[in-house]
Amino acid sequence: MELYDVINRRRDTRREFTGARIADDVLERLLSAAHCAPSVGMSQPWDFVLVRSPETLSAFASHVAEERDAFAATLEGERAETFGRIKIEGIREAGLGIVVGYDPTRGGPHVLGRHAIADAGLYSAVCAIQNLWLAATAEGIGVGWVSFYREEYLRSLVGMPAHVRPVAWLCVGPVDGLPDVPDLERFGWRHRSPLASVVHEEAYVPRLD
Amino acid sequence: MELYDVINRRRDTRREFTGARIADDVLERLLSAAHCAPSVGMSQPWDFVLVRSPETLSAFASHVAEERDAFAATLEGERAETFGRIKIEGIREAGLGIVVGYDPTRGGPHVLGRHAIADAGLYSAVCAIQNLWLAATAEGIGVGWVSFYREEYLRSLVGMPAHVRPVAWLCVGPVDGLPDVPDLERFGWRHRSPLASVVHEEAYVPRLD
């Protein structure tokens, strides 16, 4: 699939999982794409924990439901109503969760390019996620990035040591198809902004909105 | 260009810039690809400052040279020697710097998916960078992500307000070609690790290296 088609087709998926198991060779290609991402000082500081155990999926889904309620409690009126219609995860339906971790101890004692910006390693882990997500889109596989969780909970759930930071839970699995319009736009939560509103020439110019 | 070819061809570019100006329509496609990235709660929290002024490019290059020296001073023996051979930026040669910022005020007072993980917005800005980088690769344009700088310096250089965080300086421009092997591997700084070393089943398992 052509790159620009993939970039435009990519969606954050919650509703469309079929429940079928992703083929091993496809999963291997997604993980290889992630592992091929750029990383600061070539530290490759990511980990991927593949979770399929129904008990672990259910435990995480319950935790996410609590965090959903916590966020919902901060909303009022139209925002509360709109949020009520939005599905935020497909943890059990996808059947596979990929927990992405960031390990700052990778890359030796001197990571080239990280001395001035500690978060540069974290950025690398996110680049890996985006590679995986695009590869999934090209393979017809859905990905839903869930961020309604507490990092300590997820770290403990999958046994990550204290120095590894959980960066994402990705619901990954075959889908019926991908929607043309992002869910949050379809349900009236937010709309996409024009490109011109985020581009500046030579120096930052505040937006008027 | 097919997605997997793009993912494999992508390189962090420092040496190969021709100095030619990137065509406006190509730049527009790169920025559109970035703006099409996933973002938490559809907040689209990124900014792109396009820097071409020779004075600004030179000022930034001087700052980066100082930070290079600061890092070099922490190295000894073989590490110091190897680092000495590595070019870390192509700021002036590329002729265009794209400063990517993260603005946490985007997306309204309640950003869906960010209440538990403040950095989720920062992750969105990085997804945009990876989209831009892959689009550039497909267009035959080089990208070099420079992270030898202090955030306060870069913020001030391009006039970003205090609430916007600089996430990257990207050197962007036409190139002679992209090397087959990453520079850091070619010059003996680090080598790529096997995929199996970062994949875990059901729970995190410490590596033996």
Side-chain angles (χ1 to χ4, degrees), chain A:
Chain A
M1 199 168 170
E2 290 285 319
L3 173 72
Y4 286 121
D5 293 335
V6 178
I7 284 176
N8 289 315
R9 286 301 300 149
R10 185 206 51 77
R11 285 291 168 276
D12 203 326
T13 313
R14 281 90 167 77
R15 302 175 173 273
E16 293 80 7
F17 295 109
T18 64
R21 186 179 163 111
I22 184 173
D24 288 346
D25 60 328
V26 174
L27 179 57
E28 172 99 11
R29 288 198 292 276
L30 304 196
L31 294 168
S32 298
H35 195 50
C36 201
S39 62
V40 64
M42 204 186 270
S43 52
Q44 302 188 285
W46 40 68
D47 279 290
F48 306 99
V49 184
L50 314 180
V51 178
R52 286 195 171 100
S53 143
E55 291 72 27
T56 312
L57 297 179
S58 285
F60 187 64
S62 300
H63 172 74
V64 167
E66 283 169 25
E67 289 298 326
R68 181 195 167 99
D69 290 347
F71 179 68
T74 67
L75 305 176
E76 291 181 348
E78 177 276 328
R79 289 285 84 182
E81 235 173 78
T82 302
F83 182 61
R85 289 193 296 270
I86 296 172
K87 182 166 162 62
I88 60 157
E89 52 87 2
I91 297 164
R92 278 174 281 225
E93 302 91 317
L96 170 65
I98 302 183
V99 184
V100 181
Y102 162 55
D103 182 349
T105 68
R106 294 277 173 76
H110 302 284
V111 174
L112 192 161
R114 209 183 61 189
H115 80 283
I117 301 170
D119 278 344
L122 192 58
Y123 300 164
S124 306
V126 177
C127 288
I129 293 171
Q130 183 62 2
N131 265 13
L132 185 152
W133 204 339
L134 293 173
T137 306
E139 299 275 3
I141 297 293
V143 171
W145 183 335
V146 179
S147 59
F148 279 79
Y149 64 82
R150 299 287 158 179
E151 289 182 2
E152 319 84 80
Y153 178 88
L154 182 52
R155 177 185 286 123
S156 157
L157 184 69
V158 298
M160 278 181 175
H163 72 276
V164 179
R165 180 173 176 189
V167 177
W169 176 292
L170 307 175
C171 307
V172 178
V175 284
D176 284 328
L178 294 171
D180 286 332
V181 177
D183 271 17
L184 296 192
E185 190 164 354
R186 196 154 44 123
F187 291 99
W189 181 261
R190 296 274 306 163
H191 291 279
R192 284 173 280 190
S193 63
L195 174 61
S197 67
V198 297
V199 175
H200 312 253
E201 301 280 346
E202 297 301 339
Y204 184 93
V205 178
R207 303 206 300 178
L208 298 176
D209 65 7

Side-chain angles (χ1 to χ4, degrees), chain B residues 143-200:
Chain B
V143 171
W145 183 335
V146 179
S147 59
F148 280 79
Y149 64 84
R150 299 287 158 180
E151 290 182 0
E152 321 83 79
Y153 178 87
L154 182 52
R155 177 185 287 122
S156 156
L157 184 68
V158 298
M160 279 181 174
H163 72 277
V164 178
R165 180 173 177 189
V167 177
W169 176 292
L170 307 175
C171 306
V172 178
V175 284
D176 284 329
L178 294 171
D180 286 333
V181 177
D183 270 16
L184 296 192
E185 190 164 354
R186 196 155 43 123
F187 290 100
W189 181 261
R190 297 273 306 162
H191 291 279
R192 284 173 280 189
S193 63
L195 174 61
S197 68
V198 297
V199 176
H200 312 254

Side-chain angles (χ1 to χ4, degrees), chain B residues 16-204:
Chain B
E16 293 81 6
F17 294 109
T18 63
R21 185 179 165 113
I22 184 173
D24 288 346
D25 60 328
V26 174
L27 179 56
E28 172 98 11
R29 290 198 291 276
L30 305 195
L31 294 169
S32 297
H35 195 49
C36 200
S39 62
V40 64
M42 205 187 271
S43 52
Q44 302 187 285
W46 41 67
D47 279 290
F48 307 99
V49 183
L50 313 180
V51 177
R52 286 193 171 100
S53 143
E55 291 73 27
T56 313
L57 297 178
S58 285
F60 188 64
S62 300
H63 172 73
V64 167
E66 284 169 24
E67 288 299 327
R68 182 197 166 100
D69 291 346
F71 179 68
T74 68
L75 305 175
E76 290 181 349
E78 176 276 330
R79 291 283 84 182
E81 236 173 78
T82 301
F83 182 62
R85 288 193 295 271
I86 296 172
K87 182 166 162 61
I88 59 158
E89 52 88 3
I91 297 164
R92 279 174 281 224
E93 302 90 317
L96 170 65
I98 301 183
V99 184
V100 182
Y102 162 54
D103 182 349
T105 68
R106 294 280 172 74
H110 301 284
V111 174
L112 192 162
R114 210 184 61 190
H115 80 283
I117 301 169
D119 278 345
L122 192 57
Y123 300 164
S124 305
V126 177
C127 287
I129 292 171
Q130 183 62 2
N131 264 14
L132 185 152
W133 204 337
L134 294 173
T137 305
E139 300 274 3
I141 297 293
V143 171
W145 183 335
V146 179
S147 59
F148 280 79
Y149 64 84
R150 299 287 158 180
E151 290 182 0
E152 321 83 79
Y153 178 87
L154 182 52
R155 177 185 287 122
S156 156
L157 184 68
V158 298
M160 279 181 174
H163 72 277
V164 178
R165 180 173 177 189
V167 177
W169 176 292
L170 307 175
C171 306
V172 178
V175 284
D176 284 329
L178 294 171
D180 286 333
V181 177
D183 270 16
L184 296 192
E185 190 164 354
R186 196 155 43 123
F187 290 100
W189 181 261
R190 297 273 306 162
H191 291 279
R192 284 173 280 189
S193 63
L195 174 61
S197 68
V198 297
V199 176
H200 312 254
E201 300 280 345
E202 297 300 339
Y204 184 95

